[in-house]
Amino acid sequence: MSNDLGAATFEPLPTPNQLKAELPISPEASARIARHRAEIDAIMQEQDDRLLVVVGPCSVHDPAAALDYARRLAPIAEKLKDDVLIVMRVYFEKPRSTGGWKGLINDPQLNGTHDIATGLRVARKLLLDIVELGLPTGTEFLEPVSPSYISDLVAWGAIGARTTESQIHRQMASGLGMPIGFKNATDGDVQVAIDGVTVAAQQHTTFGIDDDGRASVVTTRGNNAGHIILRGGRFGPNYGTHNVIHSARLLARAGLSPRIIVDASHANSGKSHIRQLEVAHELAAQIADGEPIAGVMVESFIEPGAQKLTDAGLAGLVYGKSITDACIGWDDTAALLEDLAAAARRAARLEPVDV
Ligand SMILES: O=C[C@H](O)[C@H](O)COP(=O)(O)O
Ligand SMILES: C=C(OP(=O)(O)O)C(=O)O
């Protein structure tokens, strides 16, 4: 953006190096994240027969509630670790269909003041706290500049349905160090997600910032740990057996691992948390039958459902309830994770399905 093209103000941010010096990652946490990234990739490549489960709030709006959620999730992740690898959704950047709150990094005070410097700081601190619990974190990467501030704390990343066809986001994925899931497009097109995986595996030379915040020419390494996420589309869900097998064949035809993540939320549940829970249990049955589903995504928080953000901000909100998409509540989440673990256990005894 330049000031002759409509940008009204420019306000310098701290550099990535400054924020990382203020909130450093320990060598132990860094090693744990590297291990989690490798485990996630092994699951997607069929070298580890556990199920990946990416579960957590649609968006973080209250870091205290997100940490409360993480503290509930961590012991379950430890208990079920032989069957499922649980990654907590820690989503700070929301792509909006027609406008609205764009997430904690963009507007941490939830009131349109857009204090992005504080948003980055709060996001990094929360990721550090969650990583200290031993939980792997997952997030959607949306703004091209923000990964420089937080990506070292993230074990798994997503490119969303609205940006899966964007060259900028594919290049971004090619320069990130963790496995990245590409969602199918909002119209249901799965091939664009597969193309995203292919493009992200290539090296790119593009624009970026270095860790001292300087505008730079960046050459990426290429990310070979890409996969797709089926999230349904404008014309309906795409989590059924037929869709899974068809998508697996498209992946195999592109020379990629046929293993898929399925999102029980979004257009696979019509954004209803009640339907989402049913879809997630249906997915457990499909997994137990040996379908090539390597991962499941679930939007879950402490309280079920969603609420509207008002001018009262955080003070006017019910604790632990989503302000973006409706989430399943904690008790249903705990029971669902047990069901998914049992399904993964059964699937591990089956021969892989030939797609
Ligand atoms: O996961 C979140 C939402 O589905 C996505 O950000 C779009 O939300 P919106 O359609 O409410 O803008
Ligand atoms: C925005 C999200 O999903 P999608 O890109 O599938 O709409 C999300 O998972 O938060």
Side-chain angles (χ1 to χ4, degrees), residues 58 89 91 93-99 140-142 158-167 169-170 182-189 192 231-234 263 266-267 271 299 325:
C58 174
R89 268 183 69 108
Y91 274 44
E93 300 187 296
K94 299 311 293 177
R96 304 313 301 251
S97 308
T98 54
E140 174 169 344
F141 291 107
L142 185 59
I159 301 298
R162 291 160 190 76
T163 47
T164 201
E165 201 169 2
S166 147
Q167 176 159 289
H169 291 80
R170 292 168 171 188
F182 283 82
K183 294 266 187 117
N184 67 254
T186 53
D187 66 2
D189 189 338
V192 292
R231 49 84 78 198
R234 193 163 299 131
D263 177 1
H266 301 101
K271 289 197 178 187
E299 291 192 307
D325 290 348

Side-chain angles (χ1 to χ4, degrees), residues 172-215:
M172 181 207 276
S174 98
L176 287 168
M178 75 292 291
I180 295 282
F182 283 82
K183 294 266 187 117
N184 67 254
T186 53
D187 66 2
D189 189 338
V190 173
Q191 188 59 47
V192 292
I194 296 174
D195 293 345
V197 174
T198 303
V199 174
Q202 299 159 6
Q203 290 194 330
H204 296 276
T205 297
T206 181
F207 291 79
I209 61 163
D210 67 11
D211 278 349
D212 289 317
R214 278 183 302 247

